[in-house]
Every structure is written in structure tokens, then in C-alpha cells.
Amino acid sequence: PGHYDPGMFGCVQGVDDFAYTLQVPKKSIALVVPSNDRCKSKECPFNAILGNRGFCPAHCRSWYPLVGTRGEDLCGPDFLRYVNDKLRDCDCDQASCKKA
């Protein structure tokens, strides 16, 4: 989303609601892998996710694959690798990624 509302996840009951709130296809939710760290945005109550530069999925879109990359098929985290827990990239050394 372009803006952050502290209550934006209040009505989330499941994967469908989560995808709708983030305005992404349901298939992409499998790419959201939580970390143990709190989101770096000021006063955000949510945990950051891996491959998202230390932010939750509402505050940064680095977790979402770019169009034109192998990740755009939303095949899941098995097809991606993390670089320094901050960035996500295609995992071209994995057989699963080469097949995609």
C-alpha cells in the first residue's frame, strides 16, 4: 500500500484477507517469511520479513519480485535466496530455480 494505517491488518482473518490488504495476489503470500526483528518504521508494531530491508510487508515492497525476474512467477521462497538478510534475489544455483 502507498500509506500505512496502524489498523490496516485488524480485519485480517486469513491468507485471502492478508493478500487483499497488501494488494497482492494470494499466491505471493508464501513469499512473506517473518524475521525475529521488529519493522524499522517508526512505531510499527509488526515484525520485519526476510528480504525486505528490515521492514514489514506494509512498509517496503522489496519482498515482492519484480516483473521480468524469475521470481515473478511467485513459485515460493524455495526459488529465492537472501543476501545479508536484507535483499532477495533469484537463487540461480538451485536446481529448482533453474527449472523455473
Side-chain angles (χ1 to χ4, degrees), residues 9-25:
F9 296 109
C11 64
V12 172
Q13 298 287 319
V15 176
D16 290 322
D17 294 335
F18 192 42
Y20 178 80
T21 301
L22 291 175
Q23 300 173 8
V24 298

Side-chain angles (χ1 to χ4, degrees), residues 49-96:
I49 61 173
L50 296 179
N52 205 34
R53 296 187 169 109
F55 294 95
C56 73
H59 281 115
C60 182
R61 289 289 182 112
S62 293
W63 67 274
Y64 198 83
L66 298 174
V67 173
T69 66
R70 290 183 195 212
E72 79 174 329
D73 292 333
L74 304 175
C75 294
D78 296 343
F79 292 84
L80 302 169
R81 67 182 170 94
Y82 299 100
V83 182
N84 299 329
D85 290 329
K86 302 293 180 200
L87 304 171
R88 192 189 322 241
D89 195 5
C90 173
D91 195 354
C92 292
D93 292 334
Q94 294 290 333
S96 60

Side-chain angles (χ1 to χ4, degrees), residues 35-57:
S35 76
N36 292 325
D37 300 323
R38 193 64 81 188
C39 177
K40 293 193 309 187
S41 289
K42 187 177 180 178
E43 298 182 23
C44 180
F46 303 111
N47 279 13
I49 61 173
L50 296 179
N52 205 34
R53 296 187 169 109
F55 294 95
C56 73

